[in-house]
Amino acid sequence: GQQGIYVRWGRTYCPGSTKLLYTGYTAGSAYGNKGSGFNKLCLPLEPSNSTDWRQNDAGNSGSRLYGVQYATSSAVQDLLPVNGKAVPCAVCEAKRGPVIMIPGTYVCPSNWTLEYEGYIMASHYSSSHYKGEYICVDHEPETISGRSGSS
């Protein structure tokens, strides 16, 4: 049957009968960089690099990835404990069928299953930050130790 693969931002596991494909940490470009990608990535906890990436100086010539951290405000008190900490992620496979994020509601269409609910987050609106992808971060976010974010 059809399967839906999605990222559960802000958590290290998948809900219910959904299969965990891998746990990782959220990465993206630095908030002040003009180049690189705008989307967030869920990098595996143990990435494997190409064996020759250092010899090709890709670290200085290509895009750069940085860990993403929560940047919350007092507007949502429940999120203050995670402020400034690294954002984990889990890549999940729902065997039920396609998966879609519907912003602005936690009510699913009839015959659909709610996978998780959360907060819509993106880069800050100010002119010192560049546009970024909107993601839905779990309403009970976790942090991931041993990683520091800067995006």
Side-chain angles (χ1 to χ4, degrees), residues 6 8 13-20 93 96 113-115:
Y6 66 94
R8 186 178 188 191
Y13 64 90
C14 300
S17 63
T18 306
K19 179 181 177 184
L20 176 67
E93 180 182 28
R96 291 179 280 283
T113 302
L114 179 68
E115 293 292 328

Side-chain angles (χ1 to χ4, degrees), residues 90-120:
V91 177
C92 307
E93 180 182 28
K95 301 267 186 202
R96 291 179 280 283
V99 177
I100 185 172
M101 188 263 294
I102 304 173
T105 184
Y106 57 88
V107 178
C108 293
S110 61
N111 299 322
W112 283 58
T113 302
L114 179 68
E115 293 292 328
Y116 75 97
E117 60 185 277
Y119 299 99
I120 300 294

Side-chain angles (χ1 to χ4, degrees), residues 2-149:
Q2 261 187 328
Q3 301 169 9
I5 296 177
Y6 66 94
V7 178
R8 186 178 188 191
W9 303 105
R11 297 299 277 193
T12 57
Y13 64 90
C14 300
S17 63
T18 306
K19 179 181 177 184
L20 176 67
L21 298 179
Y22 69 89
T23 297
Y25 58 96
T26 306
S29 60
Y31 65 84
N33 286 1
K34 292 180 183 178
S36 298
F38 85 99
N39 58 315
K40 301 294 181 235
L41 300 174
C42 184
L43 295 181
L45 292 177
E46 300 296 330
S48 53
N49 293 316
S50 169
T51 56
D52 64 348
W53 72 278
R54 285 197 175 100
Q55 290 85 353
N56 292 329
D57 198 26
N60 291 320
S61 302
S63 295
R64 292 182 176 180
L65 288 173
Y66 297 86
V68 173
Q69 65 185 25
Y70 296 104
T72 61
S73 72
S74 59
V76 183
Q77 291 289 319
D78 293 345
L79 296 179
L80 286 178
V82 299
N83 187 51
K85 297 185 176 152
V87 180
C89 52
V91 177
C92 307
E93 180 182 28
K95 301 267 186 202
R96 291 179 280 283
V99 177
I100 185 172
M101 188 263 294
I102 304 173
T105 184
Y106 57 88
V107 178
C108 293
S110 61
N111 299 322
W112 283 58
T113 302
L114 179 68
E115 293 292 328
Y116 75 97
E117 60 185 277
Y119 299 99
I120 300 294
M121 295 185 175
S123 301
H124 195 269
Y125 68 88
S126 74
S127 60
S128 65
H129 292 72
Y130 291 91
K131 293 185 186 315
E133 177 182 26
Y134 286 104
I135 60 173
C136 180
V137 176
D138 196 277
H139 74 289
E140 293 180 337
E142 297 175 305
T143 60
I144 191 162
S145 61
R147 308 282 180 196
S148 60

